[in-house]
């Protein structure tokens, strides 16, 4: 029985520039922490080798201390790690990998496959066939040599590659770094471990993407996992188990708000979130002043509870009700300004008009409160 842990796309050093600095720092740290989780899983399931199918680093320019942190985190599993470069950390003449070697960061139980050469692990009766990227983009299938690679008859044959399986992934995926969908069969592989797609995806029973161990985007593609691969004997069909490794849950939600029940549904969903949630919320519709103030309160409360919340509200309008206007005593010129701002919300400056309307309403409400207090 051969047990492998298949992971990829760690993207260490990802900056998360769209987030506030404190949020970005925590999301980046979660990617380092994911290595410790992978090590714990490897220990728990007593795997023989951890396979990392590319994009360990997000860029060639990560800091030296980041390189050390990655390899130090891997030492929580004393077994064998095998890594290949992907498109983000390709094995250029001068790369993050050559820097890691110069720094002495790579420990004895870690093998960097920087060239397309078979790696024989005789103690495990395992031959690994790597297809490392030596430049960011290629337009030929780097796994083609697997078909003719030799290995002892009693050995397991396992491939590692990083790229896009042709004709299988979403049409929007870049056509660079193509991989043949039938490679596992043509190369007589027991298993082909793939990286590049950030979610778990089965190509066929012998070929899978593991996805990234820590979600890093809002796309819903089953990220935050690693794959435990159990192969009973050479040429046996692998048993693949999906294991949870992610810390943060990323949500992209859209709500249309018009009446009290719409806002209540949003409030109920937001109440279910905690500090493991990263949220992108888009809102549209029309609310009166009371409901808009209620919305602002719940968003502020949620921001203090979740890891990150960004609410896109440029399609949301404010329409003071007759009761709102009566309470504000908005007559004459002020009433005309309110009507004008209500109409301008549908133009190019709609967001600014909405904010101005809310500000004006707040000022009028404050003035009314002050007058009542003086009576």
């Amino acid at each position: 029985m051969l047990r492998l842990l298949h992971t990829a796309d760690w993207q260490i050093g990802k900056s998360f520039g769209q987030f506030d600095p404190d949020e970005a720092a925590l999301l980046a740290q979660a990617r380092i922490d994911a290595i410790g989780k992978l090590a714990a899983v490897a220990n728990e399931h007593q795997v023989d080798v951890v396979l990392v199918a590319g994009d360990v680093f997000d860029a060639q320019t990560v800091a030296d201390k980041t390189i050390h942190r990655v390899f130090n985190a891997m030492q929580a599993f004393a077994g064998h790690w095998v890594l290949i470069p992907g498109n983000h950390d390709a094995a250029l003449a001068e790369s993050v990998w050559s820097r890691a070697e110069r720094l002495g960061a790579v420990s004895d139980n870690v093998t960097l496959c920087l060239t397309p050469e078979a790696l024989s692990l005789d103690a495990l009766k395992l031959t690994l066939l790597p297809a490392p990227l030596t430049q960011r983009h290629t337009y030929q299938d780097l796994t083609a040599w697997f078909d003719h690679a030799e290995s002892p008859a009693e050995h397991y044959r396992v491939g590692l590659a990083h790229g896009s399986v042709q004709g299988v992934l979403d049409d929007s995926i870049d056509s660079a770094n193509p991989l043949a969908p039938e490679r596992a069969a043509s190369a007589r592989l027991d298993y082909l471990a793939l990286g590049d797609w950030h979610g778990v995806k089965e190509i066929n029973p012998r070929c899978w993407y593991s996805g990234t161990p820590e979600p890093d985007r809002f796309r819903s593609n089953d990220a935050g996992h690693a794959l435990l691969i159990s192969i009973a004997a050479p040429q046996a069909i692998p048993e693949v188990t999906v294991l949870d490794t992610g810390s943060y849950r990323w949500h992209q939600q859209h709500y249309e708000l018009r009446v009290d029940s719409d806002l209540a549904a949003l409030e109920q969903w937001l109440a279910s979130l905690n500090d493991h949630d990263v949220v992108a919320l888009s809102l549209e519709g029309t609310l009166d002043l009371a409901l808009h103030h209620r919305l602002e309160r719940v968003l502020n409360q949620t921001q203090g509870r979740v890891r990150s919340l960004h609410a896109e509200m440029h399609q949301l309008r404010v329409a003071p009700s007759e009761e709102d206007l009566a309470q504000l005593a908005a007559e004459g010129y002020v009433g005309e300004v309110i009507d004008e701002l209500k109409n301008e919300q549908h133009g190019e400056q709609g967001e600014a008009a909405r904010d101005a309307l809310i500000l004006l309403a707040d000022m009028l409400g404050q003035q009314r409160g002050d007058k009542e207090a003086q009576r």
Side-chain angles (χ1 to χ4, degrees), residues 229-260:
I229 314 301
S230 302
I231 312 176
Q235 293 307 298
I237 298 296
E239 178 185 340
V240 179
T241 305
V242 180
L243 304 175
D244 292 337
T245 56
S247 291
Y248 291 117
R249 300 177 294 262
W250 292 55
H251 310 273
Q252 193 166 35
Q253 293 286 341
H254 176 81
Y255 278 83
E256 183 172 349
L257 304 177
R258 297 192 183 280
V259 294
D260 184 281

Side-chain angles (χ1 to χ4, degrees), residues 278-357:
V278 179
V279 183
L281 189 62
S282 62
L283 303 175
E284 69 169 304
T286 303
L287 297 177
D288 62 26
L289 288 173
L291 288 178
H292 195 278
H293 285 143
R294 182 172 143 194
L295 171 64
E296 288 183 325
R297 284 195 301 272
V298 71
L299 291 179
N300 288 335
Q301 291 167 355
T302 304
Q303 283 178 329
R305 190 175 66 254
V306 301
R307 177 53 57 225
S308 174
L309 169 64
H310 175 73
E312 179 56 67
M313 300 171 62
H314 72 278
Q315 293 295 326
L316 190 66
R317 306 288 180 252
V318 174
S321 65
E322 294 300 323
E323 183 179 355
D324 290 331
L325 296 177
Q327 290 181 346
L328 295 174
E331 301 175 346
Y333 175 71
V334 174
E336 294 176 4
V337 171
I338 289 176
D339 287 338
E340 185 175 346
L341 289 174
K342 285 169 59 179
N343 294 330
E344 287 184 1
Q345 290 182 94
H346 301 283
E348 293 183 0
Q349 301 298 318
E351 191 168 0
R354 185 197 71 217
D355 292 343
L357 180 58

Side-chain angles (χ1 to χ4, degrees), residues 4-8 10 47 49-54 80-84 121 126 128 158-160 191-193 210 227 229:
L4 307 170
L5 185 64
H6 169 197
T7 178
W10 295 357
V47 304
V49 185
V50 179
L51 304 178
V52 190
H80 207 138
W81 300 73
V82 177
L83 287 62
I84 65 167
L121 302 178
L126 169 63
L128 289 170
V158 174
L160 285 89
Y191 185 74
L192 177 53
S210 67
L227 301 180
I229 314 301

Side-chain angles (χ1 to χ4, degrees), residues 29-330:
Q29 179 60 44
R31 311 203 72 73
I32 295 285
D33 294 342
I35 303 173
K37 292 184 178 181
L38 292 168
V41 166
N43 284 317
E44 178 185 353
H45 294 278
Q46 299 180 322
V47 304
D48 297 300
V49 185
V50 179
L51 304 178
V52 190
D55 280 0
V56 171
F57 297 97
D58 191 58
Q60 302 282 6
T61 54
V62 296
D64 288 355
K65 67 178 180 180
T66 300
I67 295 174
H68 281 294
R69 291 181 69 197
V70 167
F71 288 100
N72 287 341
M74 291 166 65
Q75 293 315 295
F77 173 63
H80 207 138
W81 300 73
V82 177
L83 287 62
I84 65 167
N87 58 303
H88 280 259
D89 52 10
L92 311 175
E94 175 59 31
S95 70
V96 65
W97 304 108
S98 56
R99 192 149 48 98
E101 291 177 325
R102 282 200 307 273
L103 291 169
V106 185
S107 57
D108 292 340
N109 65 325
V110 177
T111 299
L112 307 181
C113 293
L114 306 182
T115 56
E117 300 176 54
L119 173 65
S120 183
L121 302 178
D122 292 331
L124 298 173
K125 294 184 178 181
L126 169 63
T127 296
L128 289 170
L129 306 177
L133 285 171
T134 56
Q135 58 191 56
R136 185 172 178 87
H137 295 305
T138 63
Y139 294 91
Q140 59 183 3
D141 187 345
L142 298 182
T143 65
W145 73 275
F146 292 1
D147 290 357
H148 310 290
E150 296 183 357
S151 62
E154 70 276 12
H155 272 212
Y156 297 91
R157 286 170 63 89
V158 174
L160 285 89
H162 190 92
S164 175
V165 175
Q166 300 301 283
V168 175
L169 298 183
D170 189 285
D171 291 340
S172 65
I173 300 299
D174 196 322
S175 61
N177 311 320
L179 301 172
E182 70 280 0
R183 183 63 63 206
S186 65
R188 308 174 310 284
L189 299 178
D190 293 293
Y191 185 74
L192 177 53
L194 299 182
D196 197 31
W197 183 251
H198 279 215
V200 171
K201 190 171 186 66
E202 178 183 5
I203 304 303
N204 59 60
R206 296 188 185 275
C207 181
W208 289 65
Y209 284 96
S210 67
T212 178
E214 179 61 38
D216 61 353
R217 59 191 66 178
F218 289 108
R219 185 171 191 164
S220 178
N221 61 350
D222 202 17
H225 305 289
L227 301 180
L228 177 65
I229 314 301
S230 302
I231 312 176
Q235 293 307 298
I237 298 296
E239 178 185 340
V240 179
T241 305
V242 180
L243 304 175
D244 292 337
T245 56
S247 291
Y248 291 117
R249 300 177 294 262
W250 292 55
H251 310 273
Q252 193 166 35
Q253 293 286 341
H254 176 81
Y255 278 83
E256 183 172 349
L257 304 177
R258 297 192 183 280
V259 294
D260 184 281
S261 59
D262 296 335
L263 183 52
L266 173 59
E267 289 172 327
Q268 182 176 10
W269 180 71
L270 291 174
S272 70
L273 306 178
N274 58 38
D275 61 357
H276 289 280
D277 294 296
V278 179
V279 183
L281 189 62
S282 62
L283 303 175
E284 69 169 304
T286 303
L287 297 177
D288 62 26
L289 288 173
L291 288 178
H292 195 278
H293 285 143
R294 182 172 143 194
L295 171 64
E296 288 183 325
R297 284 195 301 272
V298 71
L299 291 179
N300 288 335
Q301 291 167 355
T302 304
Q303 283 178 329
R305 190 175 66 254
V306 301
R307 177 53 57 225
S308 174
L309 169 64
H310 175 73
E312 179 56 67
M313 300 171 62
H314 72 278
Q315 293 295 326
L316 190 66
R317 306 288 180 252
V318 174
S321 65
E322 294 300 323
E323 183 179 355
D324 290 331
L325 296 177
Q327 290 181 346
L328 295 174

